[in-house]
Amino acid sequence: MITYLNLKAIHEPIREELDNVYREVVDRSWYISGKYNKQFEEAFAAYCGAPACVGVGNGLDALRLILQAYGIGAGDEVIVPANTFIATVLAVTDVGATPVFVDADMRTYTMDVSLMESKITARTKAVIAVHIYGRTADMDAICEIAGRHGLKVIEDAAQAHGARYRGKRAGSLGDAAAFSFYPGKNLGALGDGGAVVTNDGELAEKVRAIGNYGSIEKYRHLYQGCNSRLDELQAGFLSVKLRYLDAWNRERIRIAGIYQERMQNPNIILPAADGLSEERNVFHIYPVLCSQRDRFLDYLKQRGIGVNVHYPIPIPQQAAYPELKAVQKEIPVTDRICREEVSLPLYPGLSEREIDRIVTAINQYV
C-alpha cells in the first residue's frame, strides 16, 4: 500500500535531532515562550525575508489575530478566494466581518484576479490571498488592485512554506502572512502550531499581545485577548525541521516534475506545469482533476494507492454557512474543482518504485 502521506519517512532521518530537542526542553522545564520560541521566530522571519515573526497556536489563529490587530470586524468586508480551506473564511467571520468570494482561475486554482476588483465596495478592508496547494497567488496583480483601493493584503501561506514569487518568499509578499505548522504541512510541527510573519513591527507587537491574553506586561491587559502561543516544544521541533525545508521542497518539486513529464492520460487533468524551476509552487498538494472522481478513487484504492480530496464541499455549501448558499452560482470554477480534485501522494521519502507505480496506474486508467 502506498500511503498518501508518510510522516515517519520524513522524520526518521532526523529522529535524533528531534529527540534531543525533547530532552532539552524537558530538562530545562521551560515550556512557553522560551529559548526555542525566540530562536524559531527569528530564523523563520529571516527565512521568509520579513522583519518579524510571532508564533501562535495554529494557522486559523494566525489569520484571526491579523484581522483583529488591524481592527477589522463587524460591518467590514474581506475579499477571499472561493477555492480554499474553511479556515480562511472562519477567520473572517470569527472577527465579525463578511467574506466576499472570488472564483478560482481554472489554470492555477488560485484566485482569479480578473474578478477581484468588481467585488470591492466601500466596506472592503482587506484581501486574503491564499497560496493554494503550495502555489503562490498572483501577488503583483492583487497588491496593485489592493493598493489603489487602500486595502490590506494578507497572505494565507498555510500551504506554501518556502514558495517564491518573483524571487521573494511567501510571507513577505503582502502586509502580513499567516502560516500553519499542522503536521502534514511542508514545514510541520509534531502537533498544532502557527505563525504571523510581517514587515509591520506595530502589527507584530499587537498580535503578540492579543495572543497573550491581551497583555505585554504580566497582569496588565491592553486588549480583550486570547491564549494563542506557539509552545516551546513545537518551536524546538520546527527549528530543527526548518533547516531541511528547502531540501524537502526541492524533492517535492522533483517528484512533481516526474509526474508532469510521465503522466499522460486524457482523462486526468494535471496542475499547471509552470513554476517548477523558480519554486513558485512547492507542491504541498499535487492536485489532479478527474470528471468521474468516484470511479477514479475506487480504481486507485484497488491498486493500493492512497489519495486524498481537497476540498469536496465548497464553503458556500457547508452547513456552517447557510447564509452563503446564494454565492454558489457565482463560483463555477471552484465548484468544478471541488467536484473533480484528487490529491496524489507526494512527499519527501516517496520511493522511485512507488512513484513508478503511481505513474503507471494513472496512465492505465480508462
Side-chain angles (χ1 to χ4, degrees):
M1 176 71 182
I2 300 174
T3 58
Y4 171 68
L5 176 63
N6 185 345
L7 290 176
K8 187 173 182 179
I10 296 172
H11 292 145
E12 197 59 37
I14 60 170
R15 176 66 179 268
E16 185 176 351
E17 294 177 78
L18 298 175
D19 287 346
N20 288 340
V21 166
Y22 168 77
R23 285 191 289 266
E24 185 178 343
V25 171
V26 172
D27 287 346
R28 194 185 303 115
S29 295
W30 191 294
Y31 300 109
I32 302 292
S33 302
K35 163 193 162 183
Y36 277 124
N37 215 296
K38 185 175 187 298
Q39 176 181 308
F40 175 72
E41 288 181 345
E42 292 176 351
F44 194 59
Y47 177 83
C48 293
C53 170
V54 180
V56 299
N58 52 67
L60 171 56
D61 281 358
L63 283 170
R64 182 167 46 201
L65 288 166
I66 292 169
L67 293 169
Q68 188 175 350
Y70 276 138
I72 294 171
D76 297 330
E77 294 177 349
V78 178
I79 303 288
V80 297
N83 185 37
T84 186
F85 180 55
I86 197 170
T88 312
V89 179
L90 285 172
V92 176
T93 55
D94 280 354
V95 299
T98 301
V100 177
F101 292 88
V102 176
D103 203 5
D105 182 305
M106 191 59 221
R107 191 181 70 84
T108 65
Y109 308 150
T110 61
M111 180 191 294
D112 185 342
V113 183
S114 70
L115 304 175
M116 174 181 153
E117 194 156 22
S118 66
K119 301 290 186 176
I120 297 173
T121 72
R123 296 196 297 167
T124 309
K125 295 295 187 294
V127 54
I128 299 179
V130 179
H131 306 316
I132 196 73
Y133 310 145
R135 182 188 181 94
T136 52
D138 189 355
M139 293 303 294
D140 281 354
I142 290 171
C143 289
E144 191 276 327
I145 295 169
R148 285 194 281 107
H149 292 271
L151 309 181
K152 295 295 184 183
V153 177
I154 301 166
E155 296 174 73
D156 182 337
Q159 300 182 7
H161 312 72
R164 297 180 188 271
Y165 181 87
R166 302 194 187 283
K168 298 175 65 177
R169 290 197 194 274
S172 64
L173 304 173
D175 294 295
F179 285 89
S180 166
F181 302 124
Y182 182 77
K185 304 297 187 183
N186 291 34
L187 179 63
L190 305 191
D192 267 323
V196 171
V197 176
T198 181
N199 58 10
D200 184 339
E202 184 178 341
L203 176 76
E205 184 176 325
K206 191 169 182 180
V207 165
R208 190 181 300 281
I210 295 172
N212 187 41
Y213 299 97
S215 172
I216 295 175
E217 181 183 350
K218 196 169 184 178
Y219 301 132
R220 294 183 181 273
H221 304 272
L222 302 175
Y223 313 104
Q224 294 180 21
C226 63
N227 177 11
S228 183
R229 299 171 297 200
L230 180 65
D231 75 69
E232 183 72 355
L233 192 59
Q234 299 304 336
F237 293 147
L238 290 166
S239 294
V240 170
K241 295 181 73 175
L242 180 59
R243 297 197 292 268
Y244 297 92
L245 178 58
D246 283 345
W248 288 338
N249 281 344
R250 285 193 295 270
E251 178 64 0
R252 287 176 177 273
I253 293 168
R254 185 188 73 83
I255 296 169
I258 294 173
Y259 285 170
Q260 294 290 145
E261 181 180 352
R262 293 176 51 194
M263 284 184 186
Q264 298 179 3
N265 188 326
N267 299 296
I268 306 298
I269 298 175
L270 305 183
D274 64 316
L276 286 168
S277 59
E278 65 268 25
E279 300 178 2
R280 180 169 179 179
N281 193 340
V282 290
F283 292 97
H284 170 59
I285 291 166
Y286 188 88
V288 301
L289 302 186
C290 181
S291 61
Q292 295 183 318
R293 180 168 64 192
D294 288 345
R295 182 180 177 186
F296 184 50
L297 292 174
D298 286 342
Y299 169 86
L300 294 172
K301 182 178 180 180
Q302 290 168 13
R303 281 151 184 79
I305 298 173
V307 296
N308 209 334
V309 173
H310 298 85
Y311 302 97
I313 305 173
I315 294 169
Q317 286 186 10
Q318 296 286 353
Y321 288 109
E323 70 275 17
L324 297 177
K325 283 186 177 179
V327 175
Q328 190 62 33
K329 64 181 184 297
E330 302 174 9
I331 53 170
V333 175
T334 297
D335 187 57
R336 178 184 174 185
I337 294 169
C338 290
R339 288 197 316 270
E340 300 184 4
E341 195 274 343
V342 176
S343 305
L344 302 183
L346 193 158
Y347 53 85
L350 192 66
S351 71
E352 299 304 315
R353 184 177 180 182
E354 290 171 324
I355 294 169
D356 287 342
R357 277 185 57 193
I358 293 165
V359 170
T360 299
I362 298 296
N363 287 340
Q364 292 177 349
Y365 172 72
V366 177

